[in-house]
Amino acid sequence: MAENALNASALGKVLERAASVAEGGRRSIISRYIADFAQMVYRCYSENPDAEYKLVIEDIVYALRCSFLQQQQRRSVSRTDEDEEEDEEATFVDESSYLDSSFPHIHLVHESIRRRLALFSEIVQLWPESVDRLAAVEMKMPLDLKCLLLMLEAWLIPTKPELENVNTRQKWIDKNRLAAPVVLRLLESVADVTPEHVYHRDKCRFFWNRIGAVQLFIEHVCPSDVADIARSIQWCWSLWTLLGDRTDFKAVQSFDKVEAFFHMCNKKASELFFGKQDNCPVCDKTVQFPVKLPCDHAICRHCLVELQETNNCSCPKEQCYKKFPRDFKGKSVTAQKDGEEKFALYKQQCNAFFMEVVSRFCFSDNILPEEAVVRKLMAYVTRRPRRGESQVPGRGAQAEAMLRTKKMFEESLDPTPVVRSFLLQLLLQVDIESVRKYLGEYFEDTLGFLSSDPTQTVELCILCVQCFEDHHRRQSALCDSETRCIDFATRLLRASLDLLRRDQPAVNIGTVEAVASVRFGLVETALWMHRLYIAGDVDRTLTTEVRRLIEAARAICDQDQFKWPRVYLMRQVARRHGMDALKRLSEFQSWIVPVYARVNKNDAVPDCFVICGDEYKKLRELFAEVSIGKNLGPLEEALKSLNCAPEVGESVALLAMYREITSANVHEDAQRRPSAEAVNMLKEFCNTCPTFKNKAFARAVAGNSLGGNLCVKPRRVAIDRDVSEVVTHFKILLMNSPNNGLQGLWVELATAPQNMQNSFLPTMPQDDLDDIRTAIGQGIVAGETPAFYQCKNGHPYVIGNCGRPVAAGTCLQCGAPVGGTAYRLQADNQALAANVDNTRWGHILGQPLKRAPVPERQMSAAATAVVRVLLHMSMYLGSLENPQAISQMLYPPVNFAEVSQFLWNHIIVDVDTIHNAVGHSRDDVLVFLHILIDHMIHNAKQVAGLDLRLLTKQSRAQWENTYVDAYIAQGLNGLDAKIQGANNLMVNDNRLGNNPLLRTIFESDAPSTFAGKIHEEPSLWRFRSHITLEHLAHALDENLAQKRGGEQEQMKAGQKKFPILRLFLKEEHQLRAIRMLPNILHLHRLLLQRLNRCIDSSEATTMTVNDFLSSITDENQRQELLSLVNDFSYAWDCVRPSLPNHPFGGCTIPPEYAQEPLTTESRLAMLLPSLRGWGLCSVGLVYYLQELQNNFLENYSIEFKQILQARVDIYDASHAHLVSYHPVHDLQPIILANCNYSLEVGKGTTIEYNFGSMERQLVERFIRGRPRLGIGSQMAFIKYREDFTNASMFDQLRNRIPQEPLPSPADLERDLKHKPTEVTDLLASIDIAVGFLVSIGGDPEMKLTRFMSDTLKMKQTQTVLFSCRLKHVESLWLMLSYLRARMQASYGHEAFEKVDEKYREPIPEDMQKKLHLAFQHVQMNMFLILLYECIIFKISVKQNTNDEDYADNSEYSLKDVLVLYMSDSKSNCSIPALEDDRFPADVKVKHCIATWLYALSPNRR
């Protein structure tokens, strides 16, 4: 088709004529065309452009030759035997026959190799010498493969001197980092054209694996900043030579080499850390990593482990044989800890190296490694060969290898749960059956010694349970609907119940996996029960599935022989959603809590105030005695003997009184509430007791008259009860805080809010542009006057020096032109107004809606959320004192009567925000706030020089930094341990100590020893905190808080720790969507191919995605599109809250559009890229993802002082160009590889991260070498059917082909008048023809049927087209469109789908009479055609309301518009009756559609 279209065009005729007269004929012209074409499409970067162009031309020729040969092969395959006999010479192919190709074929071939030419250009820029070196290579292969092979062998291969010198070695690593993005893109792009290509591509991959492994070893084990670097240098070259040319970590040979290399390093490391040793009495070899026995004899560390595993715990030294404990860890061979510390560091470095090699190379591309590799990795997981393996005949070598594996773990790898779970999870992702088989064999072998030594087996079971549980979680995440997720969990629970009921060995893989399935199923049950009964956000359609899940969970928990599943379910509910949620759920599902643990809903409420210490508990008991009528004497004596500061003593006394007296008002039974006599007695006591300085407040506490939600009442919601305790505790803090202290801001807001008007409140968002101006202004030198401007899309930029544009550039955000030349600004740019700051004072958060943790200014996300809850608590207290003053601080305004509840709801939202920021339950967050307030009571601080009124943004920022440093950072530091300690205090409180429910929930019961079945082991049913990105972000904040004091000067200088890791974690929730960009663009291409010019916008808005997918008959195509739609939906959900605030191309996405999730029931128009309507969603998403990567990379380049690569068009970008990663498959291995955790009863989960290594790996794998993205070519938009057939389109057609009226339109109308299907089909065909004619033109006299059949390859059988020529296309389209409109109107359908509503105003009755008289003098069919044509081509054409000459035409006289249109040469109609006074002038353009329908109506008379 393309070739026919080109030949029919003027250019094609010129080329063919040149080919016929050129010397050398057509082949000569083709050769010259290729050379010219190469210079047109390719830009040279080397100093030898002739050689570079020659390489490009040769690659195009090579691609043409390959394409020609493939065509010949396809033809030869399709030939019959008779054809071969008739033409035996057909098998001969002239190698130069490719020169017989057509001109369009050259363009098609170039399009197929355009990406590899772009990669070649990148290599030339990276390594300019490559051009000359490639010119000398004679190999016939694609240019990208040739480049890759040469670059690896000639440029990146290291030499021994290069690796043995610290400086040159670092340069080699830097060179690899620079080349890595290009190499990875090249490996992606090389196609499997021939076996030779496959061989060379695999050779390149092996070579790159080898380079990568050595680089990882240097970075992890031998970094340049490690001590004794000179001794570790020789290891690098040894690893390079040992790996060899075929480095494939999916094959066991490479793993064996790594093992051998580790053993070699261990000998050197042992001498390095502990000095030279004598022979070991166990293995009779030089002692490696020595440890001393109690008798002071030294043996190898791995030998000690072997002795303990064989229960041979006595010294092997002759004439000694002294016994030692089986759990003996060994003593250091030196008095100094230096050697042990270096040894521990060495093992951590080996861990990191080994895990990154496995994740990056062994499991790359989700391709399974060899079985031998899987078994080796499983040996690392179990830490021993299968028992009895060494006794099997003929397996000595394998047993020896397995023993080396165990030895490697003791000496080189640290056998922490992290390493082993990391390996097991990787194996589960790709080969779960092999894991089951291997573990089954292992557990069978352990049965013989389980009773004597269960520790290691139980430890392995815990590890396997956790990994299988995580595997189920990943499988559930792949489900495409909530219904399938619930069904998946239900099936696991049912299958596990059947498995656990069977009589099986004590330990077996089936039971272990069943425990994991039950744990996963119960976690899902806890989640859905909370959503169904507490949150109430379960869709009605899911209720049945949720109840089936609950029934499956109950079936397991009700089994008498299974104690722990019910306990685990209770732990999940309480630890994730709070104790109150567990109590409320037990009201709906009583089986959850066993009878022995059930309590009254108002009993056993944990006392959070016990964190205040023993003095509090003592006073609490005395207040309890007063409440039941005992005298005040003991209480008075106890208050006098308090051993603490007066303000602390008063706080403790008030809290004790609140807990025992005020909180008792929660009971509905009056007998359980304090008597009126006791309350009055306490009020009198408060008046006279010197401990209470604030008498009025103490009386209010005793009388339960604190006001608002602080008054305790029966039937309160648990969250209100818990929050009121925190607010009361906070009020007690403020009561004893001075106005000029750090708490002075809160004191003013709570007691005198009228003094805080016009204050910039903490944590409120602000406009930072003014701060940027100030920062730039501080750095200018004399004579400079920088100025701020904005591009056409509103993105700001600055011009330095004189501030006037002298050069053009592109916007870093969107790629739009910025700057200018000769001091003239770009026409669509404009200057930013000076001193414009849109920051508002007061409270500007609006309604208390759920919000994600977001950092503000220098505060972390968690610190921001904590400061914000303190702000809202103080404002709430202020609303009880002066609600009018508080209401004046709120923007948008809030109803005066609702101010207090508005702020109360904000406090609850803040608690949930902190919960999301730190990864703890709501109960834990409330406990933390009590801990923080208690800490502030004991540590009152005053800081001079602070503006507590916060009248400027600068004073607000200064106060925030000071307050966070003084209190919040310390409070968040070690948060896990603090909360666990507080929970232990509450559980062990003598008021609740006998409560078995609390003790069970917080795992305070001592662990049992293993006996019987493995699923009865309590340690398998402990609550587990998952390692998540939220936990990592909080841990990083804690780490920075610990070091903040010592880094104050560095922070002032702008040098912050882990800047890219912090930025990555801050934006990760959106960055994860960038990997979907190529898939979104591919979805655009597929949709445009199917729907461009074939669908109306109204149809796209009403049709759902599911309707569209159902219309596709090919199953493979439907599944591909569904997968791409899911990718679009994933990216859309990640970023849609931010889309309305980011303009693109002068457009913005309306907020109501961004609130819509995208599902298969969403309107199809959301997926179709367009600059109007719902299509803005698709376009805005692409622009936002592009801008997201560019902003992130810009920040990275500033922090690391890196020069970013040239901009790459989004349509040319692959995953190797993007900040592209999978949160589970890519990020999780990096996090696990850089953390260490342990899980102990009573101590919670302890997790430590290596942030420096994690940041480096993130940079190397996902950031370094990534280019900025641009939209260089015009983005492809959907062309709806009505867009394609408008006035402007036919204006373009007339410029290409002069148009004339149809010779006999009446005959055409008569033939098609009653054939609606034929009219619709013809109109769709003409739409396609017009699109091509606008692009390529044509001979006006050519028959339309010939053009459609020969050029467009569209067979046409309709006889009505035989007389039409290309010069009749416009008239034909208008006639068909008019006929379709008439038919739609006659059927009662909409005839003018896209015409604005303002043109649809009905005609008044008096005006109808005037029209009736006028129509008696008008030829009606001609009038209908004229009016229809005028509406389509004139009236309905949208105008730009911002144009100076814009005018609303709806009030114009319809008669005047029609007369004007008739006078236009484009119109073929003439109705003289319109030019006299018979046609009513008061019929307006706004009545045009009603007039047309009235004229069409047969009943108008």
Side-chain angles (χ1 to χ4, degrees), residues 883-1099:
Q884 184 175 1
I886 291 293
S887 66
Q888 291 173 354
M889 302 168 66
L890 302 179
Y891 180 83
V894 176
N895 189 298
F896 180 79
E898 300 173 355
V899 169
S900 293
Q901 190 60 43
F902 170 84
L903 293 166
W904 186 265
N905 293 339
H906 264 293
I907 296 172
I908 296 174
V909 171
D910 292 333
V911 171
D912 286 335
T913 306
I914 301 172
H915 150 69
N916 292 327
V918 300
H920 283 274
S921 69
R922 180 187 281 180
D923 286 357
D924 289 346
V925 170
L926 294 167
V927 170
F928 158 68
L929 291 176
H930 282 294
I931 296 172
L932 178 65
I933 295 171
D934 182 65
H935 171 73
M936 292 191 290
I937 289 175
H938 285 80
N939 297 273
K941 296 182 181 181
Q942 295 187 10
V943 180
L946 284 180
D947 172 20
L948 297 180
R949 294 285 303 280
L950 307 189
L951 295 178
T952 66
K953 293 194 302 180
Q954 292 73 22
S955 61
R956 171 171 63 187
Q958 184 184 9
W959 183 92
E960 287 173 342
N961 293 337
T962 304
Y963 196 84
V964 169
D965 286 344
Y967 293 121
I968 310 302
Q970 296 179 34
L972 291 172
N973 185 26
L975 181 60
D976 293 353
K978 291 176 181 176
I979 290 177
Q980 186 64 36
N983 285 333
N984 289 339
L985 287 174
M986 288 186 286
V987 171
N988 294 319
D989 184 11
N990 56 14
R991 294 285 183 88
L992 299 170
N994 295 323
N995 186 329
L997 178 61
L998 284 179
R999 298 188 66 84
T1000 300
I1001 295 303
F1002 291 101
E1003 303 178 90
S1004 295
D1005 294 317
S1008 63
T1009 57
F1010 177 77
K1013 304 291 186 181
I1014 191 64
H1015 63 267
E1016 298 172 359
E1017 169 60 32
S1019 55
L1020 265 67
W1021 300 97
R1022 295 173 184 163
F1023 178 82
R1024 178 166 68 114
S1025 295
H1026 298 292
I1027 298 176
T1028 62
L1029 284 168
E1030 291 76 17
H1031 189 281
L1032 171 63
H1034 175 61
L1036 179 60
D1037 291 340
E1038 282 190 349
N1039 179 274
L1040 296 175
Q1042 290 176 348
K1043 299 181 178 181
R1044 194 162 185 147
E1047 294 178 357
Q1048 202 65 256
E1049 295 303 320
Q1050 288 186 354
M1051 294 186 72
K1052 288 180 181 178
Q1055 300 173 358
K1056 301 177 183 178
K1057 298 286 287 184
F1058 319 123
I1060 297 304
L1061 180 60
R1062 286 189 295 109
L1063 180 65
F1064 180 84
L1065 292 176
K1066 176 183 176 181
E1067 300 185 9
E1068 191 281 326
H1069 64 289
Q1070 292 192 340
L1071 289 174
R1072 61 175 59 184
I1074 294 177
R1075 69 187 173 94
M1076 298 302 179
L1077 183 57
N1079 293 355
I1080 293 171
L1081 295 175
H1082 183 47
L1083 175 64
H1084 285 179
R1085 283 191 289 268
L1086 295 181
L1087 292 175
L1088 294 182
Q1089 288 173 9
R1090 285 183 168 273
L1091 300 175
N1092 217 18
R1093 306 167 182 167
C1094 299
I1095 189 172
D1096 294 321
S1097 57
S1098 58
E1099 185 181 359

